[in-house]
């Protein structure tokens, strides 16, 4: 298996795969959040306003990322480059709203029966952390189109865990084991990474940057899951959410 740092194949031959990866991502997100929408709108206590803002902002970001891929596919490279800077600024806004949304929702439901425990913050923040690291790296790789495409695709799909876990939650309860918990929340991201790897492996297009970015996502997800089961982290996150709730955020 050859591992490339730059592409030795025509860029056009590499674009169609990005549409397939993005389509799989949308299936997870669409099915997961679509089937869960009924519960989301009827939660008791009612969902905080910041969570609604986060849902709208994240959907807008995903549509923006999709538009960027379609621009490349249709040959609008100049528009893609111009619009890409807007997308980068928009993504920075999403990275601010997402943790505020999670803190507010979990603080509000701190004593709600059946709600997610405080230590879930590690898993909730793992995708945000990956996106915060991979997005700027992908932008820096913009002159290396094959690596740029793969790293930014990974930056987008690393936040698919919420949709995937909601989809799984329709059929089975949350596992209590380490690996079960990891794959329950991160399985969607891992599956897309595996499919991306198999596609590139079949066409001899494995990129070093893709391997590094994928390894980083898996490492962060496993670390977040380990924290989920760590008693010290449980105490820390409980105090955080109590303080957040006490100050009325």
């Amino acid at each position: 298996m050859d591992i490339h740092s730059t592409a030795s194949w025509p860029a056009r031959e590499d674009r169609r795969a990005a549409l397939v990866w993005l389509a799989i991502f949308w299936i997870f997100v669409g099915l997961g959040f679509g089937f869960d929408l009924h519960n989301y709108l009827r939660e008791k206590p009612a969902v905080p306003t910041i969570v609604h803002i986060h849902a709208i902002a994240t959907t807008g970001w995903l549509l923006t990322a999709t538009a960027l891929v379609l621009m490349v596919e249709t040959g609008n490279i100049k528009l893609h480059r111009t619009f890409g800077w807007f997308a980068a600024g928009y993504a920075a806004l999403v990275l601010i709203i997402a943790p505020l949304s999670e803190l507010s929702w979990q603080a509000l439901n701190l004593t709600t029966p059946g709600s997610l425990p405080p230590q879930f913050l590690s898993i909730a923040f793992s995708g945000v952390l990956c996106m915060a690291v991979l997005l700027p790296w992908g932008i820096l790789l913009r002159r290396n189109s094959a690596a740029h495409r793969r790293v930014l695709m990974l930056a987008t799909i690393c936040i698919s865990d919420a949709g995937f876990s909601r989809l799984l939650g329709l059929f089975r309860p949350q596992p209590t084991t380490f690996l079960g918990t990891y794959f329950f929340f991160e399985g969607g991201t891992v599956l897309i990474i595996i499919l991306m790897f198999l596609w590139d492996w079949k066409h001899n297009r494995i990129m070093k940057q893709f391997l590094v970015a994928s390894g980083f996502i898996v490492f962060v997800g496993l670390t977040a899951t380990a924290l989920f089961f760590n008693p010290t982290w449980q105490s820390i996150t409980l105090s955080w959410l109590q303080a957040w709730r006490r100050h009325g955020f």
Side-chain angles (χ1 to χ4, degrees), residues 126-191:
S126 64
V128 175
L129 173 60
C130 290
M131 185 177 173
V133 172
L134 297 183
L135 187 70
W137 185 30
I139 294 172
L140 291 174
L141 291 169
R142 62 188 180 277
R143 297 188 184 279
N144 183 349
S145 61
H148 169 76
R149 181 179 298 111
R150 284 162 175 77
V151 172
L152 286 186
M153 184 61 64
L154 290 173
T156 302
I157 69 167
C158 67
I159 58 172
S160 67
D161 50 354
F164 184 77
S165 61
R166 281 172 168 78
L167 184 59
L168 281 185
L170 297 173
F171 305 101
R172 58 161 301 168
Q174 179 184 327
T176 57
T177 62
F178 177 88
L179 285 179
T181 299
Y182 173 73
F183 285 111
F184 185 85
F185 290 107
E186 304 289 342
T189 302
V190 172
L191 177 58

Side-chain angles (χ1 to χ4, degrees), residues 13-202:
E13 294 181 8
D14 203 34
R15 294 172 183 169
R16 192 60 52 86
L19 288 175
V20 177
W21 301 333
L22 200 61
I24 295 172
F25 169 77
W26 270 109
I27 289 172
F28 286 159
V29 172
L31 290 177
F33 284 101
F35 282 113
D36 195 53
L37 185 62
H38 179 273
N39 297 327
Y40 171 79
L41 296 175
R42 289 166 175 78
E43 283 191 19
K44 299 294 181 182
V47 174
T49 302
I50 186 66
V51 177
H52 294 308
I53 294 173
H54 167 60
I56 295 171
T58 303
T59 302
W61 155 248
L62 297 179
L63 291 172
T64 299
T66 303
L68 287 170
V69 173
L70 292 175
M71 287 174 191
V72 174
E73 178 63 25
T74 55
N76 293 308
I77 306 300
K78 185 176 180 180
L79 180 60
H80 169 90
R81 290 171 178 167
T82 303
F83 190 64
W85 290 112
F86 163 78
Y90 188 6
L93 179 63
V94 172
L95 291 173
I96 294 173
I97 295 175
L100 294 177
S101 170
E102 187 65 31
L103 285 166
S104 298
W105 183 83
Q106 283 203 235
L108 179 65
N109 290 279
L110 198 56
T111 58
T112 303
S115 185
L116 291 169
Q119 66 268 23
F120 180 75
L121 285 176
S122 63
I123 295 176
F125 290 169
S126 64
V128 175
L129 173 60
C130 290
M131 185 177 173
V133 172
L134 297 183
L135 187 70
W137 185 30
I139 294 172
L140 291 174
L141 291 169
R142 62 188 180 277
R143 297 188 184 279
N144 183 349
S145 61
H148 169 76
R149 181 179 298 111
R150 284 162 175 77
V151 172
L152 286 186
M153 184 61 64
L154 290 173
T156 302
I157 69 167
C158 67
I159 58 172
S160 67
D161 50 354
F164 184 77
S165 61
R166 281 172 168 78
L167 184 59
L168 281 185
L170 297 173
F171 305 101
R172 58 161 301 168
Q174 179 184 327
T176 57
T177 62
F178 177 88
L179 285 179
T181 299
Y182 173 73
F183 285 111
F184 185 85
F185 290 107
E186 304 289 342
T189 302
V190 172
L191 177 58
I192 297 177
I193 288 174
I194 291 173
L195 292 175
M196 290 177 69
F197 174 83
L198 291 175
W199 173 273
D200 280 347
W201 175 66
K202 179 181 178 181

